[in-house]
Amino acid sequence: KNGQEMVRNVIKAYDQHDLCLVQAMPDAEGVLEIANSLDKGEDVVVVGHPGLRELTLSHGEFIGQDTIQMTNFKIETKEDCSGQWYEEPILLFFLGQDHICVESIITSAISAPIYGGNSGSPTVNKYGNVVGVVFAGSQQVHDSHMVPLSNLKDFLKGF
């Protein structure tokens, strides 16, 4: 806003879904309400600025709960990894890592297309209530993924 920093500091992080709650400037505008529920087939819209574009709206519908495999780069030891542990030099060379841990996480799948830079974008229902926050996409199955509404509510408890 007029060249000012909008974010003060990170209040809480949710590593599994690459989500964080930040403190905004006191005069920051725009508060979105969280929906109470989300039904299969319900229309949703992803609101964001992918790739530094102007504001974009991507329409789709809520497909349902899904389980996907995500790389957790914060896991440091094989014993702490609840999924697959990789130490394959060729794969890891391209990732700049000496190991990775791939774990299963529960998500909400939506059919709205998302693009690089949409991570963190709110997904809203027809009433303008937040039903999730985008964090991943899959070009192979053409599904996008957002933090499930129940996880989002749990994450925001007390704020």
Side-chain angles (χ1 to χ4, degrees):
K1 185 173 177 182
N2 298 332
Q4 294 179 343
E5 283 283 321
M6 291 299 292
V7 175
R8 287 288 175 107
N9 59 11
V10 174
I11 296 172
K12 184 178 182 182
Y14 182 24
D15 291 336
Q16 188 177 32
H17 287 95
D18 194 21
L19 182 68
C20 68
L21 179 65
V22 296
Q23 178 183 15
M25 297 288 286
D27 61 346
E29 298 175 15
V31 175
L32 298 172
E33 298 294 324
I34 306 293
N36 290 321
S37 63
L38 181 61
D39 297 320
K40 217 174 201 179
E42 187 172 337
D43 287 335
V44 297
V45 175
V46 174
V47 182
H49 295 274
L52 301 177
R53 296 182 193 143
E54 294 295 319
L55 182 68
T56 63
L57 306 175
S58 297
H59 179 264
E61 66 180 42
F62 174 55
I63 297 170
Q65 297 297 338
D66 195 9
T67 302
I68 62 173
Q69 304 296 310
M70 293 288 290
T71 301
N72 187 337
F73 290 108
K74 296 187 181 210
I75 300 280
E76 293 295 324
T77 67
K78 186 174 183 176
E79 292 74 31
D80 292 333
C81 179
S82 64
Q84 283 291 124
W85 182 259
Y86 295 94
E87 294 180 355
E88 299 170 15
I90 293 175
L91 169 68
L92 299 171
F93 172 77
F94 291 107
L95 296 173
Q97 301 286 325
D98 57 2
H99 64 268
I100 57 173
C101 175
V102 179
E103 300 179 307
S104 296
I105 60 171
I106 296 173
T107 74
S108 288
I110 57 176
S111 63
I114 63 167
Y115 308 95
N118 263 138
S119 293
S121 295
T123 304
V124 298
N125 62 14
K126 64 183 176 184
Y127 305 107
N129 297 320
V130 176
V131 295
V133 176
V134 170
F135 76 93
S138 171
Q139 298 304 324
Q140 291 79 21
V141 293
H142 303 292
D143 287 348
S144 302
H145 301 277
M146 62 182 189
V147 177
L149 184 58
S150 58
N151 293 49
L152 186 60
K153 285 181 170 185
D154 287 346
F155 175 71
L156 294 174
K157 274 185 183 167
F159 294 98

